[in-house]
Amino acid sequence: DYRDNGSLHYLDQMKMNIYESAIYECGKILANYDSDQVYPVYGFGAVIPGVDKQTNHCFPLTLSPDEDANIHGLQNILTTYRMNLPKLQFAGPTYFEPLLSTIFTLVASTDVPGFNQYNIVLILTDGTINDMQQTIDLLVASSSLPVSLIIIGIGNDDFTQMEQLDSDGRTLMSSNGRCSYRDIVQFVE
């Protein structure tokens, strides 16, 4: 609950919460590499009252009825998060595959041969995921796309699965035995 000062999403009028700090600190670095400063921003792992009855595993943070996830500028991402957080009820289980499918489809649709474009996806999470094998399968299948993921672990939960996705020093392998083309995940706790 964003009103509970023990929550990682606690909204304090005087300072940023840990999610806002991570968005700001990582965003100000990544923004230097983006020419138009327009970012598709998605949430996951929440029920949107009045819209969803079950946990939604990929939704535009804008909560736009037309599914438009684009937000212009880092400050507007922070403003949108703060404005829409009270409209969400966080819930499990946590699935990454629907979010990553949406993102990789977007990346694949904008991958134009001869046009130099690279995508960096920032995922903020506070713990374990419940679709690990599906996530690994999708990462392996998408490892040739012009994309890298930075996963930021928020809080003090067990991030063993995120370290496994990072796969430093070993190759990520799908359930059908296919090896990742390259390591596309970096995890930072």
Side-chain angles (χ1 to χ4, degrees):
D1 187 335
Y2 71 94
R3 295 166 293 203
D4 175 1
N5 67 1
S7 168
L8 298 172
H9 289 284
Y10 176 64
L11 291 182
D12 183 330
Q13 296 304 316
M14 304 306 285
K15 64 179 182 174
M16 288 190 229
N17 66 32
I18 193 165
Y19 275 90
E20 291 170 304
S21 294
I23 292 166
Y24 176 74
E25 294 300 328
C26 295
K28 71 181 182 181
I29 294 167
L30 296 174
N32 291 312
Y33 300 95
D34 190 282
S35 58
D36 67 2
Q37 302 293 299
V38 176
Y39 311 98
V41 182
Y42 295 92
F44 63 97
V47 175
I48 306 169
V51 176
D52 298 324
K53 290 184 177 27
Q54 297 179 352
T55 304
N56 191 321
H57 302 291
C58 182
F59 56 90
L61 191 63
T62 59
L63 302 181
S64 170
D66 65 359
E67 302 281 320
D68 184 8
N70 290 322
I71 300 176
H72 189 273
L74 178 58
Q75 188 56 51
N76 286 330
I77 293 172
L78 291 165
T79 300
T80 302
Y81 166 83
R82 196 164 266 265
M83 179 179 69
N84 288 338
L85 182 65
K87 299 172 186 172
L88 305 174
Q89 293 175 334
F90 291 103
T94 300
Y95 295 138
F96 272 15
E97 191 276 334
L99 174 70
L100 293 176
S101 273
T102 298
I103 291 167
F104 292 154
T105 298
L106 183 63
V107 168
S109 72
T110 59
D111 186 22
V112 179
F115 181 70
N116 294 329
Q117 180 172 319
Y118 197 82
N119 302 273
I120 299 174
V121 177
L122 181 65
I123 297 177
L124 308 179
T125 185
D126 63 1
T128 61
I129 58 174
N130 299 94
D131 63 343
M132 187 66 169
Q133 192 57 58
Q134 295 91 331
T135 298
I136 290 171
D137 290 350
L138 185 57
L139 289 171
V140 170
S142 303
S143 63
S144 63
L145 289 173
V147 64
S148 288
L149 281 74
I150 301 171
I151 301 174
I152 306 292
I154 304 287
N156 298 315
D157 208 337
D158 178 9
F159 293 112
T160 305
Q161 290 177 310
M162 300 307 136
E163 292 166 358
Q164 183 181 348
L165 294 177
D166 190 344
S167 73
D168 286 342
R170 65 190 189 297
T171 303
L172 204 57
M173 186 178 293
S174 70
S175 58
N176 66 5
R178 183 174 167 211
C179 291
S180 180
Y181 177 72
R182 62 186 175 84
D183 181 5
I184 66 170
V185 177
Q186 180 63 50
F187 171 69
V188 180
E189 191 170 346

